[in-house]
């Protein structure tokens, strides 16, 4: 997957934890670890834990740096931005439990440059066993997908210090 790919740009934080250690420069540096073409059109991807930390970043005067940031997929309104680029919050991304040596914190890139493919055909199974007494039938649907990254420079990952 994206977080395990070794060819993407990587920015390393100064600490082994992201909690209380994210600064404005981490976002600028990560953005430009992706190719210059992507820096102008990418999207931020992070967990709600990381997003919470982003909202805590303040200037030296104590003013929140990202005070008007709201991720569109949480607020239901206009998508928020960091450095003018949209934010997506996903609980698939690592959060507080992932703090530690060389762990991914957030990603930036052009997600249109991912290729999704079938690893295993779509499968549907039915079972009468569990609902026999109630005359119900259970259905299970499974599909295995794979993600390929044909252009690794389309992405950058911010990680904690090793």
């Amino acid at each position: 997957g994206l977080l395990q790919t070794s060819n993407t740009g990587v920015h390393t934080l100064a600490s082994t934890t992201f909690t209380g250690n994210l600064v404005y420069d981490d976002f600028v540096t990560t953005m430009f670890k992706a190719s210059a073409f992507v820096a102008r059109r990418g999207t931020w991807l992070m967990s709600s834990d990381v997003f919470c930390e982003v909202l805590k970043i303040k200037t030296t005067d104590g003013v929140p740096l990202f005070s008007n940031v709201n991720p569109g997929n949480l607020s239901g309104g206009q998508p928020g931005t960091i450095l003018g680029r949209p934010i997506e919050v996903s609980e698939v991304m690592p959060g507080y439990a992932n703090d530690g040596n060389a762990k991914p914190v957030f990603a930036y890139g052009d997600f249109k440059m991912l290729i999704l493919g079938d690893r295993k055909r779509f499968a549907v199974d039915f079972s009468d066993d569990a609902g026999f007494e109630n005359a119900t039938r259970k259905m299970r649907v499974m599909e295995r997908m794979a993600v390929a990254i044909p252009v690794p420079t389309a992405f950058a990952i911010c990680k904690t210090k090793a």
Side-chain angles (χ1 to χ4, degrees), residues 37-116:
F37 174 73
V38 170
R40 295 187 303 269
R41 57 185 265 174
T43 299
W44 299 100
L45 182 63
M46 62 189 69
S47 71
S48 58
D49 292 342
V50 174
F51 183 68
C52 178
E53 292 299 314
V54 169
L55 294 177
K56 294 177 185 177
I57 299 172
K58 294 181 173 56
T59 64
T60 54
D61 299 334
V63 177
L65 192 60
F66 300 116
S67 62
N68 62 345
V69 174
N70 292 309
N73 60 344
L74 287 182
S75 67
Q78 287 281 33
T81 63
I82 294 175
L83 300 172
R85 303 306 312 146
I87 306 160
E88 289 294 330
V89 173
S90 170
E91 295 316 312
V92 174
M93 290 295 289
Y96 291 134
N98 204 47
D99 251 357
N101 295 343
K103 300 289 185 171
V105 178
F106 59 84
Y108 179 79
D110 185 351
F111 291 89
K112 293 177 186 171
M113 297 184 126
L114 288 177
I115 296 174
L116 297 176

Side-chain angles (χ1 to χ4, degrees), residues 2 4 16 18 28 40-41 48 67 79 91 93 98 101-102 120-121 131 141 147:
L2 176 61
Q4 292 78 32
T16 56
F18 69 83
V28 174
R40 295 187 303 269
R41 57 185 265 174
S48 58
S67 62
E91 295 316 312
M93 290 295 289
N98 204 47
N101 295 343
K120 185 179 179 186
R121 293 186 56 134
V141 179
V147 176

Side-chain angles (χ1 to χ4, degrees), residues 12-21 99-102 105 159-162:
T12 304
L13 298 175
S15 174
T16 56
T17 63
F18 69 83
T19 308
N21 294 309
D99 251 357
N101 295 343
V105 178
K159 292 185 175 187
T160 57
K161 180 179 172 181

